Amino acid sequence: MGAEFKGFGKDAIPFLKALGFHQSREWFQENRELFERALREPFGDLVETLTERFGALGLGLRGDRKKSMFRITRDVRFAKDKRPYNQHLSAILSPDGSKSSEGVLFVYVGVDRCFAGVAWWQPRPELLQAMRSAIVARPDEFRAMSDALRSNGLVLDDDERLKWLPRGFEQVAEADLGEAVRNRHFVTRHDIDPAGIHGPDFVEELVDFTLRAKPLLDWGRAIEKHPPR
């Protein structure tokens, strides 16, 4: 386990703002030490501190500083926007510690916003089909999960929701189930005050959010184990 998370450096967000004006490898290399000290190293500490906490709580989410964080460099090969650097840094904690696993905690620290999400994001086609089928076949379980999220101050996002019911689900008549079946992802988010990322209490904020979002994790995991027939 790495160092315990003590907070992002006070220069974390100012560095990301400055990066927007200095989109060059030369500037980044000149300021790499600041990036490492204020952002990358604390983010690694955060991932590994959360891994330890989640392990103790049995949440089934883990990561490490090498595999869990996304690069700050952008893949510009097929992008119209050729700026080489993101103005954010992010990481995923997942059941197996990889970025490709499903049912994850995503943490994003950026100039535009800071947030965390518990997500079944772009689930593989067979899992998405199973989730949609479970909503229809076992509606009480879906509604119980949604109610539990609401009781915990959370809601499911409607991000990128389909306009129409997908093929095979055209007969779903109940409004709440129809909305759910049209989801392409199953996500709940927590907005983070950037002022709160600079101390160890940020760990407690993320642990609290993940516990409140656990009904969504549990719902998806149950479907993985026992998909509708």
Side-chain angles (χ1 to χ4, degrees), residues 140-157:
D140 290 347
E141 294 177 9
F142 172 76
R143 286 170 172 149
M145 179 271 290
S146 298
D147 289 344
L149 289 181
R150 281 192 291 271
S151 294
N152 293 338
L154 301 172
V155 295
L156 283 177
D157 280 7

Side-chain angles (χ1 to χ4, degrees), residues 193-207:
D193 182 351
I197 69 173
H198 303 295
D201 287 348
F202 187 42
V203 171
E204 304 306 321
E205 180 177 348
L206 292 175
V207 169

